[in-house]
Amino acid sequence: IFVMIKLVDNYSPGQLSDSSISDSDWVKGNREAKVILIEYSDFQCSACANYFLIIEQLIQEFGEEIAFVYRHFPLKQNHLNAEFAAQTAEAAGKQGKFWEMYNVLFEKQNEWADKKDAEKYFTEYAESLNLNIEQFRNDIDSKDIKNKVENNYQSGLSSEINSTPTFFLR
């Protein structure tokens, strides 16, 4: 964790505005853990994809001793597909497959990141995860999902985040 934090040391966000784990947060590990790692991330960010591997290793290594919380912070001004990717993960989450889509989006980032037809790729990923495609397509554009992604983003802004990934260790 020290190495991870040191690598992003050139940026100091403000105080985390919401350090508690909410029911709407995506959490890996133990929700009751004393150690909570909160990441604000963008699925299209190449640095976030690199940290994805480190996070997976931390979760394997520390298991129930840590809670990893993922929050969306799509950098819409720089990443054409970031917000849509966040909505894609949320739509998969509605069918119980958030973490599976999270993995696919980071693992295959080079495949979809700069494509104008990213929806085609996201639908293929949803099919590979055996999601109900009609529900998936409806959920991507739902007000609930758009609001959740926007609420995560606003939470990040209120914590003075302006880049990804940004981590808070509590």
mmCIF file of all heavy atoms in Angstrom, residues 138-165:
data_model
loop_
_atom_site.group_PDB
_atom_site.id
_atom_site.type_symbol
_atom_site.label_atom_id
_atom_site.label_comp_id
_atom_site.label_asym_id
_atom_site.label_seq_id
_atom_site.Cartn_x
_atom_site.Cartn_y
_atom_site.Cartn_z
ATOM 1 N N ASN A 138 -31.279 -1.495 -21.161
ATOM 2 C CA ASN A 138 -32.198 -0.568 -20.500
ATOM 3 C C ASN A 138 -31.567 0.052 -19.267
ATOM 4 O O ASN A 138 -31.733 1.248 -19.013
ATOM 5 C CB ASN A 138 -33.500 -1.290 -20.118
ATOM 6 C CG ASN A 138 -34.349 -1.638 -21.312
ATOM 7 O OD1 ASN A 138 -34.285 -0.995 -22.361
ATOM 8 N ND2 ASN A 138 -35.150 -2.674 -21.181
ATOM 9 N N ASP A 139 -30.842 -0.757 -18.505
ATOM 10 C CA ASP A 139 -30.234 -0.256 -17.273
ATOM 11 C C ASP A 139 -29.132 0.760 -17.548
ATOM 12 O O ASP A 139 -28.998 1.732 -16.794
ATOM 13 C CB ASP A 139 -29.673 -1.419 -16.447
ATOM 14 C CG ASP A 139 -30.759 -2.240 -15.776
ATOM 15 O OD1 ASP A 139 -31.893 -1.742 -15.625
ATOM 16 O OD2 ASP A 139 -30.470 -3.395 -15.399
ATOM 17 N N ILE A 140 -28.354 0.574 -18.595
ATOM 18 C CA ILE A 140 -27.267 1.515 -18.910
ATOM 19 C C ILE A 140 -27.797 2.940 -19.009
ATOM 20 O O ILE A 140 -27.162 3.880 -18.536
ATOM 21 C CB ILE A 140 -26.547 1.136 -20.222
ATOM 22 C CG1 ILE A 140 -25.625 -0.049 -19.993
ATOM 23 C CG2 ILE A 140 -25.735 2.306 -20.765
ATOM 24 C CD1 ILE A 140 -24.952 -0.549 -21.251
ATOM 25 N N ASP A 141 -28.951 3.086 -19.630
ATOM 26 C CA ASP A 141 -29.519 4.420 -19.843
ATOM 27 C C ASP A 141 -30.489 4.854 -18.755
ATOM 28 O O ASP A 141 -31.120 5.901 -18.875
ATOM 29 C CB ASP A 141 -30.226 4.463 -21.206
ATOM 30 C CG ASP A 141 -29.239 4.415 -22.357
ATOM 31 O OD1 ASP A 141 -28.146 5.006 -22.230
ATOM 32 O OD2 ASP A 141 -29.549 3.793 -23.379
ATOM 33 N N SER A 142 -30.606 4.063 -17.692
ATOM 34 C CA SER A 142 -31.574 4.400 -16.644
ATOM 35 C C SER A 142 -31.107 5.606 -15.834
ATOM 36 O O SER A 142 -29.913 5.845 -15.651
ATOM 37 C CB SER A 142 -31.816 3.208 -15.730
ATOM 38 O OG SER A 142 -30.710 3.000 -14.870
ATOM 39 N N LYS A 143 -32.078 6.334 -15.353
ATOM 40 C CA LYS A 143 -31.799 7.504 -14.524
ATOM 41 C C LYS A 143 -31.072 7.102 -13.243
ATOM 42 O O LYS A 143 -30.161 7.798 -12.790
ATOM 43 C CB LYS A 143 -33.112 8.218 -14.197
ATOM 44 C CG LYS A 143 -32.951 9.512 -13.481
ATOM 45 C CD LYS A 143 -34.278 10.217 -13.291
ATOM 46 C CE LYS A 143 -34.040 11.547 -12.592
ATOM 47 N NZ LYS A 143 -35.259 12.331 -12.492
ATOM 48 N N ASP A 144 -31.450 5.953 -12.658
ATOM 49 C CA ASP A 144 -30.806 5.486 -11.419
ATOM 50 C C ASP A 144 -29.308 5.308 -11.598
ATOM 51 O O ASP A 144 -28.519 5.737 -10.754
ATOM 52 C CB ASP A 144 -31.405 4.149 -10.961
ATOM 53 C CG ASP A 144 -32.788 4.299 -10.351
ATOM 54 O OD1 ASP A 144 -33.182 5.438 -10.019
ATOM 55 O OD2 ASP A 144 -33.465 3.269 -10.204
ATOM 56 N N ILE A 145 -28.924 4.656 -12.688
ATOM 57 C CA ILE A 145 -27.496 4.404 -12.922
ATOM 58 C C ILE A 145 -26.757 5.696 -13.239
ATOM 59 O O ILE A 145 -25.674 5.952 -12.710
ATOM 60 C CB ILE A 145 -27.310 3.331 -14.009
ATOM 61 C CG1 ILE A 145 -27.597 1.960 -13.388
ATOM 62 C CG2 ILE A 145 -25.910 3.392 -14.630
ATOM 63 C CD1 ILE A 145 -27.481 0.793 -14.312
ATOM 64 N N LYS A 146 -27.341 6.524 -14.083
ATOM 65 C CA LYS A 146 -26.695 7.808 -14.395
ATOM 66 C C LYS A 146 -26.521 8.638 -13.126
ATOM 67 O O LYS A 146 -25.475 9.266 -12.928
ATOM 68 C CB LYS A 146 -27.499 8.558 -15.448
ATOM 69 C CG LYS A 146 -27.390 7.927 -16.823
ATOM 70 C CD LYS A 146 -28.211 8.675 -17.846
ATOM 71 C CE LYS A 146 -28.043 8.021 -19.216
ATOM 72 N NZ LYS A 146 -28.800 8.708 -20.257
ATOM 73 N N ASN A 147 -27.535 8.629 -12.253
ATOM 74 C CA ASN A 147 -27.445 9.379 -10.997
ATOM 75 C C ASN A 147 -26.365 8.806 -10.078
ATOM 76 O O ASN A 147 -25.651 9.554 -9.422
ATOM 77 C CB ASN A 147 -28.785 9.383 -10.268
ATOM 78 C CG ASN A 147 -29.794 10.319 -10.902
ATOM 79 O OD1 ASN A 147 -29.443 11.198 -11.677
ATOM 80 N ND2 ASN A 147 -31.058 10.115 -10.582
ATOM 81 N N LYS A 148 -26.253 7.475 -10.017
ATOM 82 C CA LYS A 148 -25.239 6.877 -9.142
ATOM 83 C C LYS A 148 -23.837 7.265 -9.606
ATOM 84 O O LYS A 148 -22.985 7.643 -8.791
ATOM 85 C CB LYS A 148 -25.358 5.360 -9.101
ATOM 86 C CG LYS A 148 -24.290 4.782 -8.187
ATOM 87 C CD LYS A 148 -24.421 3.343 -7.895
ATOM 88 C CE LYS A 148 -23.314 2.940 -6.923
ATOM 89 N NZ LYS A 148 -23.196 1.526 -6.767
ATOM 90 N N VAL A 149 -23.582 7.177 -10.911
ATOM 91 C CA VAL A 149 -22.267 7.563 -11.438
ATOM 92 C C VAL A 149 -22.010 9.043 -11.162
ATOM 93 O O VAL A 149 -20.923 9.416 -10.704
ATOM 94 C CB VAL A 149 -22.165 7.233 -12.948
ATOM 95 C CG1 VAL A 149 -20.893 7.812 -13.552
ATOM 96 C CG2 VAL A 149 -22.226 5.719 -13.172
ATOM 97 N N GLU A 150 -23.008 9.867 -11.379
ATOM 98 C CA GLU A 150 -22.855 11.309 -11.135
ATOM 99 C C GLU A 150 -22.653 11.593 -9.649
ATOM 100 O O GLU A 150 -21.837 12.448 -9.279
ATOM 101 C CB GLU A 150 -24.067 12.079 -11.663
ATOM 102 C CG GLU A 150 -23.972 13.578 -11.510
ATOM 103 C CD GLU A 150 -22.798 14.231 -12.235
ATOM 104 O OE1 GLU A 150 -22.278 13.675 -13.223
ATOM 105 O OE2 GLU A 150 -22.395 15.338 -11.808
ATOM 106 N N ASN A 151 -23.369 10.894 -8.781
ATOM 107 C CA ASN A 151 -23.197 11.093 -7.337
ATOM 108 C C ASN A 151 -21.793 10.704 -6.883
ATOM 109 O O ASN A 151 -21.198 11.395 -6.051
ATOM 110 C CB ASN A 151 -24.244 10.303 -6.551
ATOM 111 C CG ASN A 151 -25.630 10.894 -6.690
ATOM 112 O OD1 ASN A 151 -25.801 12.048 -7.055
ATOM 113 N ND2 ASN A 151 -26.642 10.087 -6.403
ATOM 114 N N ASN A 152 -21.256 9.605 -7.429
ATOM 115 C CA ASN A 152 -19.863 9.228 -7.127
ATOM 116 C C ASN A 152 -18.920 10.340 -7.573
ATOM 117 O O ASN A 152 -18.009 10.733 -6.834
ATOM 118 C CB ASN A 152 -19.482 7.939 -7.833
ATOM 119 C CG ASN A 152 -19.843 6.657 -7.116
ATOM 120 O OD1 ASN A 152 -19.391 5.593 -7.502
ATOM 121 N ND2 ASN A 152 -20.653 6.719 -6.083
ATOM 122 N N TYR A 153 -19.150 10.837 -8.773
ATOM 123 C CA TYR A 153 -18.303 11.898 -9.339
ATOM 124 C C TYR A 153 -18.357 13.149 -8.451
ATOM 125 O O TYR A 153 -17.313 13.724 -8.107
ATOM 126 C CB TYR A 153 -18.749 12.208 -10.764
ATOM 127 C CG TYR A 153 -17.897 13.236 -11.448
ATOM 128 C CD1 TYR A 153 -16.647 12.896 -11.971
ATOM 129 C CD2 TYR A 153 -18.326 14.544 -11.578
ATOM 130 C CE1 TYR A 153 -15.849 13.844 -12.596
ATOM 131 C CE2 TYR A 153 -17.536 15.497 -12.201
ATOM 132 C CZ TYR A 153 -16.307 15.140 -12.710
ATOM 133 O OH TYR A 153 -15.517 16.082 -13.324
ATOM 134 N N GLN A 154 -19.558 13.551 -8.065
ATOM 135 C CA GLN A 154 -19.714 14.740 -7.219
ATOM 136 C C GLN A 154 -19.066 14.544 -5.854
ATOM 137 O O GLN A 154 -18.483 15.475 -5.296
ATOM 138 C CB GLN A 154 -21.203 15.099 -7.077
ATOM 139 C CG GLN A 154 -21.841 15.605 -8.359
ATOM 140 C CD GLN A 154 -21.161 16.847 -8.916
ATOM 141 O OE1 GLN A 154 -20.731 17.736 -8.178
ATOM 142 N NE2 GLN A 154 -21.045 16.909 -10.233
ATOM 143 N N SER A 155 -19.154 13.327 -5.322
ATOM 144 C CA SER A 155 -18.488 13.007 -4.063
ATOM 145 C C SER A 155 -16.979 13.209 -4.207
ATOM 146 O O SER A 155 -16.324 13.745 -3.307
ATOM 147 C CB SER A 155 -18.805 11.560 -3.666
ATOM 148 O OG SER A 155 -17.965 11.116 -2.641
ATOM 149 N N GLY A 156 -16.443 12.773 -5.349
ATOM 150 C CA GLY A 156 -15.018 12.982 -5.610
ATOM 151 C C GLY A 156 -14.662 14.453 -5.705
ATOM 152 O O GLY A 156 -13.652 14.903 -5.145
ATOM 153 N N LEU A 157 -15.495 15.222 -6.400
ATOM 154 C CA LEU A 157 -15.241 16.661 -6.517
ATOM 155 C C LEU A 157 -15.267 17.331 -5.146
ATOM 156 O O LEU A 157 -14.436 18.197 -4.870
ATOM 157 C CB LEU A 157 -16.277 17.318 -7.428
ATOM 158 C CG LEU A 157 -16.167 17.035 -8.920
ATOM 159 C CD1 LEU A 157 -17.293 17.739 -9.673
ATOM 160 C CD2 LEU A 157 -14.807 17.449 -9.475
ATOM 161 N N SER A 158 -16.197 16.925 -4.296
ATOM 162 C CA SER A 158 -16.262 17.536 -2.970
ATOM 163 C C SER A 158 -15.057 17.149 -2.113
ATOM 164 O O SER A 158 -14.771 17.814 -1.113
ATOM 165 C CB SER A 158 -17.578 17.198 -2.267
ATOM 166 O OG SER A 158 -17.636 15.842 -1.949
ATOM 167 N N SER A 159 -14.339 16.102 -2.523
ATOM 168 C CA SER A 159 -13.091 15.714 -1.847
ATOM 169 C C SER A 159 -11.874 16.292 -2.567
ATOM 170 O O SER A 159 -10.745 15.888 -2.308
ATOM 171 C CB SER A 159 -12.973 14.189 -1.781
ATOM 172 O OG SER A 159 -14.028 13.645 -1.024
ATOM 173 N N GLU A 160 -12.140 17.205 -3.495
ATOM 174 C CA GLU A 160 -11.102 17.917 -4.252
ATOM 175 C C GLU A 160 -10.269 17.004 -5.141
ATOM 176 O O GLU A 160 -9.079 17.242 -5.368
ATOM 177 C CB GLU A 160 -10.215 18.733 -3.310
ATOM 178 C CG GLU A 160 -10.995 19.767 -2.535
ATOM 179 C CD GLU A 160 -10.145 20.543 -1.550
ATOM 180 O OE1 GLU A 160 -8.896 20.502 -1.634
ATOM 181 O OE2 GLU A 160 -10.746 21.190 -0.679
ATOM 182 N N ILE A 161 -10.883 15.954 -5.649
ATOM 183 C CA ILE A 161 -10.204 15.051 -6.574
ATOM 184 C C ILE A 161 -10.242 15.669 -7.965
ATOM 185 O O ILE A 161 -11.262 16.205 -8.389
ATOM 186 C CB ILE A 161 -10.897 13.669 -6.587
ATOM 187 C CG1 ILE A 161 -10.728 12.994 -5.228
ATOM 188 C CG2 ILE A 161 -10.370 12.796 -7.711
ATOM 189 C CD1 ILE A 161 -11.555 11.749 -5.068
ATOM 190 N N ASN A 162 -9.117 15.571 -8.675
ATOM 191 C CA ASN A 162 -9.113 16.039 -10.062
ATOM 192 C C ASN A 162 -8.339 15.104 -10.984
ATOM 193 O O ASN A 162 -8.096 15.442 -12.139
ATOM 194 C CB ASN A 162 -8.582 17.474 -10.163
ATOM 195 C CG ASN A 162 -7.138 17.585 -9.742
ATOM 196 O OD1 ASN A 162 -6.440 16.587 -9.562
ATOM 197 N ND2 ASN A 162 -6.669 18.812 -9.583
ATOM 198 N N SER A 163 -7.952 13.940 -10.476
ATOM 199 C CA SER A 163 -7.255 12.968 -11.313
ATOM 200 C C SER A 163 -7.539 11.560 -10.792
ATOM 201 O O SER A 163 -7.999 11.391 -9.668
ATOM 202 C CB SER A 163 -5.745 13.241 -11.318
ATOM 203 O OG SER A 163 -5.212 13.065 -10.026
ATOM 204 N N THR A 164 -7.252 10.614 -11.645
ATOM 205 C CA THR A 164 -7.447 9.213 -11.259
ATOM 206 C C THR A 164 -6.183 8.425 -11.531
ATOM 207 O O THR A 164 -5.412 8.799 -12.405
ATOM 208 C CB THR A 164 -8.619 8.577 -12.038
ATOM 209 O OG1 THR A 164 -8.357 8.663 -13.433
ATOM 210 C CG2 THR A 164 -9.938 9.236 -11.696
ATOM 211 N N PRO A 165 -5.978 7.377 -10.772
ATOM 212 C CA PRO A 165 -6.755 6.990 -9.607
ATOM 213 C C PRO A 165 -6.408 7.858 -8.409
ATOM 214 O O PRO A 165 -5.307 8.365 -8.294
ATOM 215 C CB PRO A 165 -6.331 5.544 -9.368
ATOM 216 C CG PRO A 165 -4.910 5.496 -9.844
ATOM 217 C CD PRO A 165 -4.863 6.447 -11.010
#
